[in-house]
Each structure stands twice: as structure tokens, then as C-alpha cells.
Amino acid sequence: MKTNHLPFPEITIHYKDKNIEKRPCITKSTEAIDILRSYYKECMQHHEEFWVLYLNTRNQVLGVSCVAKGGIDKMLIDNRIVLQIALKTNATGIIISHNHPTGNNHPSTQDDTITGKLKDACNLLDIRLCDHLIVTEDSYYSYTDEGVL
């Protein structure tokens, strides 16, 4: 093991997936929703959370990560965190999602702004923003299905 004698830390990146062939492949929004719903069980009616599915070139799920938790009707999304994980996992596509505790699945102006900014950031890194899903207890909204993305 190398010892670092410099006044700053060595940065290392490690990601290895031995079971990639067993990963689900996302071809439509319902498949993503089936995976994501379980992550929203504890917060669905209480507070907002923002989860991201990270995909490879074949749209297989590399992993999922909660990148933000907020209040009843808002939260702060840091695009750098979303994309940091994408770069670390060599993701070529992402599906972003968040819940609306109110049960209203329609996007807000803030949702549209977040989607636009993240799409621009993804484009700079050649990462596909495949969808933005707004999840409620009984339904969901897909930016892709609605032709917005």
C-alpha cells in the first residue's frame, strides 16, 4: 500500500459490478416506477425525497441513490451530487425522480426548472437524462411519456 506524504489526500475511484447481467433493464417509465416506489414508502405522505436511477448504455440499472431529502413541499437538489455519482459509476443515463406528498402528480415550476438545469448539465457530460418521474401514492407523472423530455 502506498503512503501519501503530500499535504493533500489521494483521490481514488472504485466501482465494480460482478452481476451486471442480472440487473433490470429500463425500457419504459412503468419499469422505473416499479423499482422506485419501494424507496418512497417511508416518506410518501410526509416529506419529499429525490432518488436517481443510474443506467449503463443498455439501460440496465447500475444503482439507485437518494441525493436529497426535503420538507413537505420543497427541497434543494445539487446537480453536482447527481452527476458525481453518475461519473463514479460510469453511468451513461439517469432517471431522476421525486415524490409529491400532497398527492398531486403534476410538475411545479420548480420541478421544470430542476429538470431543465439537470438536462443541460447532463448534456455537457454526454449523460442522457432519460426521464424525470414525479411519484405519488396512487399515480406518477413522466416527463418523457408526456413529451417534455
Side-chain angles (χ1 to χ4, degrees), residues 42-95:
E42 298 299 318
C43 70
M44 186 57 75
Q45 294 181 0
H46 185 260
H47 65 273
E48 287 193 9
E49 291 187 359
F50 194 93
W51 287 82
V52 182
L53 284 173
Y54 294 91
L55 310 172
N56 66 12
T57 56
R58 293 170 44 196
N59 282 356
Q60 289 176 297
V61 177
L62 295 170
V64 61
S65 182
C66 181
V67 296
K69 293 184 181 186
I72 294 170
D73 63 353
K74 61 186 153 213
M75 68 184 134
L76 177 65
I77 309 303
D78 191 332
N79 292 341
R80 294 169 294 189
I81 293 172
V82 173
L83 294 173
Q84 175 189 49
I85 298 166
L87 291 171
K88 187 170 185 174
T89 59
N90 288 325
T92 57
I94 61 172
I95 296 173

Side-chain angles (χ1 to χ4, degrees), residues 79-80 83 116-127:
N79 292 341
R80 294 169 294 189
L83 294 173
K117 285 184 176 183
L118 194 49
K119 183 177 182 179
D120 291 344
C122 284
N123 286 340
L124 287 173
L125 298 172
D126 292 327
I127 295 171

